[in-house]
Structures are given as C-alpha cells and as structure tokens.
Amino acid sequence: MPRSCRPRLAVLAAVLATLLAGATLVAAPAQVRAWDAGSFSVSDEAILIGLTNQARVAAGLGPLRVSSALHNLAEWRSRDMAVRNYFAHEIPPEGYRVFHYMDQRGIVYSLAGENIGWDIAPDNQAAAVVQQMFLDSPGHRANILNAKWDSMGVGAFKGADGAMKFAVLFMQKAAAHG
C-alpha cells in the first residue's frame, strides 16, 4: 500500500470508530414508555407471543408463527372488549364467538382456540402478568400447549379505564385439498 494512503486510512478508521461509538449510545435501551389509554401495545403483543412460544418450546413443542389475519382479529377483539366494556368469549350483542368472525373474514382453519385476559398491572409487567394467569388456568394453559396449533395472533389494548384487554387466537390451518 502506498504511504500516501495511510493517513487517509487512519482518518477513516477514526471516523468509523466515532460512528460505532455513537451507534452504541443510540442502541442503548430506551426508557420504557407508558402504554397510553385507548391504544394498542405492539411491544406487549410481541412479549406475549414470545412468552407463549417460550412456554411451548419448554414443553417440547414447536413455536407458533404469527398469522397477520389472526393478529388483526385479535386486535379487534381486545379493542372491542375494552371499548364496549365487556369481558367474555361471547361477543355482544348476538353472542357469537370469535370463530364466527374468523369464518366471516375467510380465515381457513381446521381447529381454532381463543384465550382472553385482562389486568391492571403496571405497563411494563402487563403481558407477563396475563401470561402467568393463562398458565395458571388449566383451560388457557391447554390452549397455549396444544400441539395441533401452527399459528397465532395477539391483540393487546388498553381501555380508557386503564384495564388492559388481551386476546390470543390460535389455529391449525386447514389441510390443502388435492
């Protein structure tokens, strides 16, 4: 390498080191932002997905992939419960269950399940608290650990009253017909 290039390389290395040092500061953990009333929490949805898959893997099952169709429906469910102030698998006023709405939206499945939960835990603990409630309940735990599921979707919405409503939808996709 010619001698005249060495000073340029030293300057380039110094600039690169400065940029990398700056990137380290930018990549540092940010302060946890509060979950505003009347909004979804994408981070709590992601935490609940991760905790669900962690429980499945610990039980010797495969992780579930996130279905955008189930995610959208789960967000609708969690928001609907918060905004209309109910907490039930039967959706008012007709009393349909979520499977009716899956069919209406053209979601094709062989088997499906739903876990719903709510809590008023601190924002940075909400997803973990509801997951623990699910795991402590035999029916909810059975849904999480059902070996037939291959997909899931999660909705997490905080109502005006501060209560956080969660909907977790599971499904086994319908087998393709020849």
Side-chain angles (χ1 to χ4, degrees), residues 36-141:
D36 297 329
S39 68
F40 292 102
S41 174
V42 175
S43 61
D44 282 83
E45 291 170 353
I47 290 167
L48 199 48
I49 291 164
L51 291 171
T52 298
N53 279 330
Q54 182 180 359
R56 289 179 59 81
V57 169
L61 301 168
L64 301 176
R65 76 167 191 82
V66 175
S67 158
S68 61
L70 288 182
H71 167 77
N72 292 337
L73 186 56
E75 281 196 334
W76 172 80
R77 281 285 286 135
S78 63
R79 182 183 182 281
D80 188 58
M81 287 188 292
V83 169
R84 296 198 301 140
N85 196 29
Y86 73 95
F87 182 71
H89 290 288
E90 296 76 21
I91 302 165
E94 295 88 2
Y96 293 129
R97 290 182 174 248
V98 72
F99 316 112
H100 170 81
Y101 298 96
M102 289 174 73
D103 295 340
Q104 272 193 332
R105 291 178 180 213
I107 299 172
V108 181
Y109 59 95
S110 297
L111 188 64
E114 175 185 57
N115 283 351
I116 58 173
W118 72 274
D119 67 52
I120 54 170
D123 293 347
N124 64 343
Q125 298 171 18
V129 167
V130 83
Q131 177 70 0
Q132 192 57 55
M133 286 191 281
F134 288 156
L135 292 172
D136 290 343
S137 161
H140 293 96
R141 182 181 189 83

Side-chain angles (χ1 to χ4, degrees), residues 160-176:
D161 62 357
M164 299 154 209
K165 302 284 175 81
F166 294 85
V168 183
L169 303 178
F170 303 95
M171 79 174 176
Q172 175 187 32
K173 287 189 242 169

